Amino acid sequence: MALLPILVAPDPRLKTKAKPVEAVDDDLRKLIDDMLETMYEAPGIGLAAPQVGVLKRLLVLDVAGKDDPPAPMAFINPEIVWESDDLNVYEEGCLSIPAHYAEVERPAAVRVRYLDRDGKRQEIEADGLLATCLQHEIDHLDGKLFIDYLSSLKRNMILRKLKKETQKSA
Ligand code: GNR
Ligand code: NI
């Protein structure tokens, strides 16, 4: 197991569309385990491969409550095959946009087709936090961040601050 460095915006890799996973093999399962370890350590409830610089269509998440046992999940080549007409607003954060939060409106429920860590085809219908998190992570695979849903004024304010902080730590 290993912790992976998490990219922070603005990084061009976070704006790049990721490529489908070709083979669900031991190397991919090692990446999944490293991503889960990185997500738990951060801590976060989800992590997409592009956030650790791997431009593949892969994400992990765990939306279990604090007092519930861990429920790690991995989604390979996920596709939204249905979304509800009714919408939900969540206050979102992102490990690649540290210390900034904003309300984002998304479909309240989604149906997602994906491969599991054994390469088996699966479908899941999600609502609540899981639906929001899945959409947030699948957006990462398409080079999209939650700040892309905000006004350009708010987005640019956040990006300017992040740039300044990156310069300080460089
Ligand atoms: O840890 C995270 N929390 C979160 C809260 C609301 C909506 C989405 C998320 S995902 C985020 C981790 C992350 O950046 N995943 O890409
Ligand atoms: Ni994120």
Side-chain angles (χ1 to χ4, degrees):
M1 299 271 272
L3 291 176
L4 308 169
I6 297 176
L7 302 180
V8 172
D11 184 299
R13 287 167 286 182
L14 294 171
K15 305 276 6 168
T16 307
K17 192 174 160 73
K19 294 252 163 39
V21 169
E22 304 265 348
V24 182
D25 53 18
D26 285 346
D27 282 346
L28 193 82
R29 281 183 283 271
K30 161 115 177 55
L31 175 60
I32 288 170
D33 290 339
D34 289 346
M35 285 173 58
L36 281 165
E37 189 185 4
T38 302
M39 176 190 82
Y40 286 123
E41 199 270 342
I45 59 171
L47 188 69
Q51 293 181 276
V52 293
V54 177
L55 294 175
K56 289 183 185 171
R57 303 191 73 81
L58 165 66
L59 66 90
V60 298
L61 58 81
D62 185 340
V63 296
K66 263 179 98 176
D67 299 321
D68 294 318
M73 301 178 79
F75 295 78
I76 301 159
N77 297 340
E79 280 175 76
I80 295 175
V81 295
W82 170 83
E83 55 187 42
S84 63
D85 290 332
D86 56 309
L87 306 174
N88 217 342
V89 176
Y90 259 100
E91 168 115 310
E92 297 197 15
C94 182
L95 295 171
S96 297
I97 308 170
H100 293 276
Y101 304 87
E103 288 193 335
V104 178
E105 191 175 51
R106 302 180 184 272
V110 289
R111 193 166 180 84
V112 174
R113 185 175 297 160
Y114 65 101
L115 299 177
D116 67 18
R117 62 182 292 141
D118 299 316
K120 191 165 174 257
R121 273 187 57 165
Q122 302 280 1
E123 263 187 41
I124 187 173
E125 196 165 314
D127 60 11
L129 184 58
L130 179 58
T132 294
C133 192
L134 272 168
Q135 291 172 81
H136 174 117
E137 304 310 339
I138 292 171
D139 271 355
H140 275 299
L141 307 183
D142 293 322
K144 191 159 187 178
L145 302 172
F146 84 81
I147 53 173
D148 294 328
Y149 294 94
L150 311 181
S151 69
S152 59
L153 184 73
K154 282 189 186 170
R155 178 169 57 251
N156 290 332
M157 210 172 66
I158 291 170
L159 286 171
R160 234 182 349 260
K161 281 189 185 163
L162 290 174
K163 245 188 209 164
K164 264 190 199 155
E165 282 156 23
T166 311
Q167 281 167 357
K168 265 189 262 166
S169 65

